[in-house]
Amino acid sequence: MFKRILIIFIIPLFFYGCGYSPLYSNKNNQNINIKILQTMGDQEINNHLLSNLSKYSRGQGKVFLLDIDTNYSILDKSKNLEGSISDYELLVVARFTVKNDNLNKIITIREDILMKNLSDNFEKKNYEKSIKKNFGKSITNKLILQLSSIQ
């Protein structure tokens, strides 16, 4: 009994004293200020990108002006013996034109996923919407990492 109590109190002290912190804990504290000039392409993905990038629009750091152009496509990947499609590939290509005081750079980020064909259209649309939302988060994270490396 005494050993259990001792372990419960000692282990947190080791973690507290070793300097452990999550890897991306300072990600939101970047000195980046993003201003969106225009968006083109898939409106749903653009909305996810804009909502994820909005937390970087009030920063006090280096100002980046962005033009966003997204291209979303659904490609047939495989068919079954009957000839109906069994797998789709969902593909997003996001192209960011980054402008700064002395910088004019194009950043292209590509995300794709293989999706099984679902018989229920409602379920398929909801799954596709959640994938688009995840694409928006992933593309935003990759963009912020590339912008922070520019500084």
Side-chain angles (χ1 to χ4, degrees), residues 3 5-21:
K3 289 181 182 179
I5 294 174
L6 188 63
I7 289 174
I8 290 173
F9 288 111
I10 296 292
I11 289 179
L13 288 176
F14 283 125
F15 282 125
Y16 181 74
C18 74
Y20 170 78
S21 66

Side-chain angles (χ1 to χ4, degrees), residues 23-82:
L23 183 62
Y24 293 111
S25 65
N26 296 336
K27 188 172 78 169
N28 291 336
N29 297 332
Q30 300 285 338
N31 290 327
I32 295 175
N33 187 359
I34 297 176
K35 300 208 184 290
I36 308 296
L37 298 178
Q38 85 180 55
T39 59
M40 295 178 292
D42 188 70
Q43 194 62 38
E44 189 174 353
I45 292 176
N46 286 343
N47 288 339
H48 291 302
L49 289 173
L50 290 175
S51 68
N52 290 330
L53 289 172
S54 67
K55 59 185 157 189
Y56 297 102
S57 65
R58 295 179 282 282
Q60 299 297 325
K62 197 170 193 179
V63 177
F64 293 101
L65 304 174
L66 292 181
D67 289 335
I68 301 173
D69 184 14
T70 56
N71 185 10
Y72 177 72
S73 58
I74 301 172
L75 306 171
D76 302 337
K77 226 27 186 170
S78 66
K79 295 184 178 185
N80 59 12
L81 295 175
E82 298 170 351

Side-chain angles (χ1 to χ4, degrees), residues 96-144:
F96 299 95
T97 305
V98 180
K99 298 173 186 171
N100 197 347
D101 297 334
N102 55 358
L103 176 73
N104 194 0
K105 183 177 182 180
I106 295 175
I107 298 173
T108 303
I109 299 172
R110 181 181 189 271
E111 291 286 327
D112 62 344
I113 190 169
L114 196 63
M115 178 178 127
K116 295 277 186 197
N117 190 10
L118 301 174
S119 59
D120 186 15
N121 284 338
F122 179 73
E123 189 176 322
K124 185 164 78 171
K125 289 292 180 189
N126 284 339
Y127 185 57
E128 191 175 335
K129 283 182 182 182
S130 69
I131 288 174
K132 283 184 176 184
K133 185 176 181 179
N134 291 337
F135 279 162
K137 286 180 185 177
S138 175
I139 290 171
T140 302
N141 290 337
K142 288 179 181 181
L143 177 68
I144 294 301

